[in-house]
Amino acid sequence: MAYSDKVIDHYENPRNVGTMDKEDPNVGTGLVGAPACGDVMRLQLKISDDGLIEDARFKTFGCGSAIASSSLVTEWVKGKTVDQAMTISNKDVARELSLPPVKIHCSVLAEDAIKAAIEDFKKKRAARKAQAS
Amino acid sequence: MLKLPIYMDNHATTPLDPRVLEVMLPYLREDFGNASSRNHVFGWKAEAAVKKARQQVAELIGATDQEIVFTSGATESDNLAIKGVIEYYKSKGDHIITLKTEHKAILDTCKRLERVRQERLDELKLLRLGQLAERDVSPEEVAELAAKHDLENDATYKKWAEMPTGGARVTYLDVEQDGRVSMEKLEEAMTPKTVLVSIMFANNEIGVVQPVAEIGALCRRKGILFHCDAVQGIGKVPFDVESMKVDLASITSHKMYGPKGIGALYVRRKPRVRIAPIIDGGGHERGMRSGTLNVAAIVGFGHAAQLAREELADEAARILRLREKLRKGLTDALDMTVLNGSLEHRLPGNLNISFAHAEGESLMMGIKDVAVSSGSACTSASLEPSYVLRALGVDEELAHSSIRFGLGRFTTEEEVDFVVNLVVDKVRKLRDMSPLYEMAKEGIDLKSIEWTAH
Ligand SMILES: Cc1ncc(COP(=O)(O)O)c(C=O)c1O
Ligand code: FES
C-alpha cells in the first residue's frame, strides 16, 4: 500500500514521542486499542488547572498510519483547551493524513486516545477535589 | 556494491534466472510452433522441447516424464489434484484430510467441496421430508420437520446421504507448536471413507518441512492417496516421489527461478493414480489438462528444474549459512524475539521471526528498501493476522509482529549484513515508540490489562 507523504513524514519524524509521569495530578493518560488487534496507543496530556493542554506525549504500537495519527494529534492538541480538544474527530485526522478506508480505524484510535486521556485527567481532578473537601 | 531495493521475499516468487531466460527466448521468437501440430517442423520442434522439459521436471522429483502434467501453476495443480481425485474416486469415498496451515489453493478448494456436499444434502433433506410429510416442503421448514420425523435416523435418508454428492467432507488437522503434523493425529483422522490426504512439503510462511516420507508410508499402508503441495520445498531440499511414496505433487516454476504461469502436477503411474480433468477440451496432457501448451514457459520451467537439481546441494548450504547469519545477527542484537516454527525442520532460506512489541507493517515501512512480508493483519485486506501463525498457537500480538524473510539464489552476504543492521535499528526505533515494550520492560504483565478491543 502506498502511504501519503504526511504519513511518511510523521512516521519518520514522529513528534512528541515519550512518557510523562502518570502519577502527576496534571497528567491525563489514555491507553486505547489492544495488542491482539495489532494496535495500542498511549496518549498523555499535561493539562493546567484551568484546562489548557500544555504538553502532549505518545507511544504507539501499530502500523504507520496509527503512528502518524497519534503523532499528528499530539501536535493538534497542544495549546488547545480541553473542550476544544474534545471536538477533534477521527475524520479530521483521516483527512489530514489522506488515510485509505482500511486505515480509518487507526484515526478512530487517535480520537479515542484524546478522549480517554482527558477523561483520566477529569477523574483525577474529581478525586482530588473529593479528597480536599 | 550493494544495490537497493533488496529482494528478500523469495517465498512469494523468485526472480527469473538469466540462464533460464536465455533458453526460453528462441521459443518466443522463431520456434513458436504448437506442440500438438503433428505435420510440420514447427510442431515437431515444439514437441521435442516440451518432451525434454518434461524429463527435466520429472528428474528433479524422481518421476518419469509420463507422470508430469503441465498446468498454469500450483493453484491449478492443487485444484486438479483434489477435485480430480474426489470426482474420480467418488464411489470409493469422499473424505479428505489436510492441515490448517495449507496454502489457500488447498483450503479454499476443500471448502468449496464441503459446500457442494452440504448443498446436495440439503436437497436430499428437502426431498425426503417431502416424502415423509406427503407434501411440498420449503427450505424454511426443514429444521422443524427434520426434528419431527427424526431425519438423522431415517434409514432412507441415511442411505441417500452416503451416496456420492460430488463434494467432500474434510478434516483440517491442527499442527503441533513447531508447525509439523502429528503422525498419531493423522492416523486417527483416517476413516474407511478417506480417499485423499493432502499435506504440503514446506510451508510458504514459516518454511516448516513436513515429514513427507512418513506420511507417504502411512497413506500407502492405509490405501489412501497422498497429494503433496511441494511448491516451496522442491529445488530447495531433496524431494523424491518414490522414496517418499507421494501419489500426486504440485509444483510451480516461479518459486524455482523459472517463469510464472507454468507448473505441473505429478500423477503417479505405478500403482496407477487416476484423476478426472477439471478443464475439458482438446485432450492435451493425456486428457488430464486440455489447452495448447505454453512452450516457452515449459522450456524455461524445465531448465529451471535442471539447474535446481544440479545446484541444490551447494545452494542449500550457502543459503542456510546466510539464513543463520541473519537469524543470529537479529537475535543476538535484539531481546524479545521469537522464531515461528521449527528451526530444525525448516527450509534453508526461510526465517519467520516475531519482534515482540514492534508491529510488522510499521517495521516493513521502516525497512522499505528491503522486500519482505509480514503476518500482521495491518498488511492484509481482511485485517486478520496470519492463519498459519494462529494455527501454531502464536500469540496474536506476536503474529502482528512477525516478519518473513525469504532468502534465495541471488541473496548475497552483503545484503544480509545490511538487512541485519537496518532491521535492528528500526526495531529499536519502533520499540522506543511502543507503549507495550515500555510496559514489558517495567515488568507489567500485558495479559493482566483489560484492553479495549475494537
Ligand atoms: C504452498 C503454495 N502452494 C501453492 C501456491 C500457488 O502457486 P501458483 O502461484 O503457481 O499458483 C503457492 C504460491 O503462492 C504456495 O506457496
Ligand atoms: S494499526 Fe493495524 S491497520 Fe493501523
Side-chain angles (χ1 to χ4, degrees), chain A residues 1 3 7-8 11-14 17-19 22 31-42 58-65 67 102-103 105 109, chain B residues 357-359 361-363 365-366 368 377-379 381 383 385 396-397 400-401 426 429-436 438-439 442 446 449 451-454:
Chain A
M1 188 176 309
Y3 299 96
V7 169
I8 292 170
Y11 173 83
E12 279 172 358
N13 311 293
V17 175
T19 307
K22 322 197 261 297
L31 183 65
V32 296
C37 304
D39 28 37
V40 175
M41 212 175 264
R42 188 189 67 197
F58 85 93
K59 280 200 176 187
T60 290
F61 166 81
C63 71
S65 306
I67 290 171
V102 288
K103 296 290 175 185
H105 77 269
L109 217 55
Chain B
H357 316 311
E359 197 275 328
E361 184 188 325
S362 55
L363 182 53
M365 194 171 163
K368 59 178 184 309
C378 304
T379 62
L383 295 182
E396 288 207 36
E397 191 220 318
H400 283 286
S401 306
K426 295 298 171 183
K429 183 170 167 241
L430 286 174
R431 284 176 169 178
D432 281 343
M433 263 196 255
S434 166
L436 301 178
E438 184 184 301
M439 290 157 92
E442 282 170 5
L446 296 175
I449 293 176
W451 299 100
T452 48
H454 52 283

Side-chain angles (χ1 to χ4, degrees), chain A residues 4-133:
Chain A
S4 71
D5 291 344
K6 283 188 180 149
V7 169
I8 292 170
D9 179 42
H10 278 283
Y11 173 83
E12 279 172 358
N13 311 293
R15 335 283 201 254
N16 306 310
V17 175
T19 307
M20 292 176 176
D21 177 9
K22 322 197 261 297
E23 308 306 330
D24 182 335
N26 286 93
V27 170
T29 301
L31 183 65
V32 296
C37 304
D39 28 37
V40 175
M41 212 175 264
R42 188 189 67 197
L43 180 68
Q44 294 187 298
L45 304 176
K46 189 166 174 69
I47 304 173
S48 70
D49 287 331
D50 48 6
L52 196 75
I53 299 175
E54 294 172 331
D55 205 357
R57 289 281 180 274
F58 85 93
K59 280 200 176 187
T60 290
F61 166 81
C63 71
S65 306
I67 290 171
S69 298
S70 29
S71 169
L72 176 69
V73 299
T74 59
E75 282 193 317
W76 277 359
V77 295
K78 265 203 236 179
K80 284 202 167 65
T81 65
V82 163
D83 292 337
Q84 286 169 331
M86 287 296 277
T87 65
I88 294 174
S89 93
N90 84 287
K91 292 200 186 68
D92 305 329
V93 175
R95 195 175 319 118
E96 173 69 15
L97 297 174
S98 317
L99 298 183
V102 288
K103 296 290 175 185
I104 295 301
H105 77 269
C106 316
S107 63
V108 173
L109 217 55
E111 179 187 328
D112 291 351
I114 301 175
K115 302 211 154 111
I118 291 176
E119 197 180 315
D120 180 57
F121 167 75
K122 285 183 174 164
K123 248 196 236 154
K124 269 187 185 169
R125 200 171 48 178
R128 237 188 324 153
K129 275 200 184 134
Q131 237 172 19
S133 60

Side-chain angles (χ1 to χ4, degrees), chain B residues 130-424:
Chain B
Q131 288 181 344
L132 291 169
E134 296 179 343
R135 65 178 170 84
D136 278 351
V137 172
S138 76
E140 293 76 49
E141 299 172 288
V142 165
E144 192 195 326
L145 287 175
K148 184 174 157 206
H149 293 283
D150 193 16
L151 192 66
E152 293 309 318
N153 290 311
D154 177 73
T156 305
Y157 173 72
K158 270 167 57 183
K159 200 171 80 201
W160 288 2
E162 284 309 314
M163 294 190 316
T165 58
R169 39 196 133 185
V170 184
T171 302
Y172 303 92
L173 282 181
D174 278 313
V175 292
E176 305 300 294
Q177 218 178 348
D178 66 357
R180 299 185 101 210
V181 66
S182 140
M183 292 305 296
E184 288 79 46
K185 286 184 192 156
L186 175 59
E187 186 162 359
E188 273 167 31
M190 292 173 168
T191 75
K193 289 276 180 193
T194 309
V195 287
L196 182 67
V197 166
S198 180
I199 292 182
M200 69 200 327
F201 183 21
N203 184 272
N204 43 301
E205 286 190 35
I206 51 176
V208 168
V209 178
Q210 298 293 345
V212 173
E214 284 176 59
I215 299 168
L218 174 64
C219 290
R220 187 63 59 84
R221 186 152 58 74
K222 296 277 187 176
I224 296 169
L225 293 177
F226 174 33
H227 166 249
C228 182
D229 176 339
V231 164
Q232 294 285 349
I234 284 189
K236 317 286 169 23
V237 268
F239 183 78
D240 180 76
V241 292
E242 278 315 313
S243 64
M244 292 175 165
K245 300 193 168 53
V246 174
D247 295 309
L248 300 127
S250 300
I251 322 173
T252 196
S253 143
H254 75 99
K255 312 270 188 190
M256 43 191 260
Y257 313 98
K260 294 174 183 48
I262 188 75
L265 181 66
Y266 158 78
V267 185
R268 175 175 289 284
R269 277 171 74 90
K270 273 191 212 140
R272 181 87 176 245
V273 173
R274 309 292 293 263
I275 52 171
I278 56 174
I279 294 179
D280 295 303
H284 308 74
E285 300 298 279
R286 281 155 288 119
M288 285 183 265
R289 206 287 190 175
S290 289
T292 298
L293 293 177
N294 183 352
V295 177
I298 288 171
V299 166
F301 181 19
H303 196 61
Q306 183 182 330
L307 294 174
R309 186 170 57 82
E310 289 168 357
E311 296 173 5
L312 191 149
D314 288 347
E315 187 166 290
R318 188 186 73 85
I319 292 176
L320 181 65
R321 194 180 61 75
L322 291 181
R323 199 276 312 278
E324 282 301 281
K325 189 166 193 207
L326 176 66
R327 185 176 70 84
K328 294 205 178 96
L330 294 172
T331 53
D332 286 352
L334 296 166
D335 61 348
M336 300 191 213
T337 61
V338 182
L339 178 76
N340 297 310
S342 165
L343 178 60
E344 185 191 351
H345 304 284
R346 180 183 283 265
L347 292 177
N350 176 282
L351 182 66
N352 188 310
I353 190 165
S354 291
F355 303 99
H357 316 311
E359 197 275 328
E361 184 188 325
S362 55
L363 182 53
M364 280 172 51
M365 194 171 163
I367 57 168
K368 59 178 184 309
D369 287 328
V370 183
V372 293
S373 64
S374 168
S376 162
C378 304
T379 62
S380 75
S382 66
L383 295 182
E384 289 287 328
S386 150
Y387 67 88
V388 171
L389 295 182
R390 278 184 304 160
L392 298 195
V394 172
D395 180 88
E396 288 207 36
E397 191 220 318
L398 285 174
H400 283 286
S401 306
S402 72
I403 297 285
R404 176 186 73 180
F405 299 90
L407 286 68
R409 180 174 291 168
F410 302 105
T411 305
T412 66
E413 181 142 14
E414 208 185 1
E415 288 177 341
V416 169
D417 293 339
F418 177 86
V419 169
V420 169
N421 285 330
L422 184 68
V423 171
V424 167

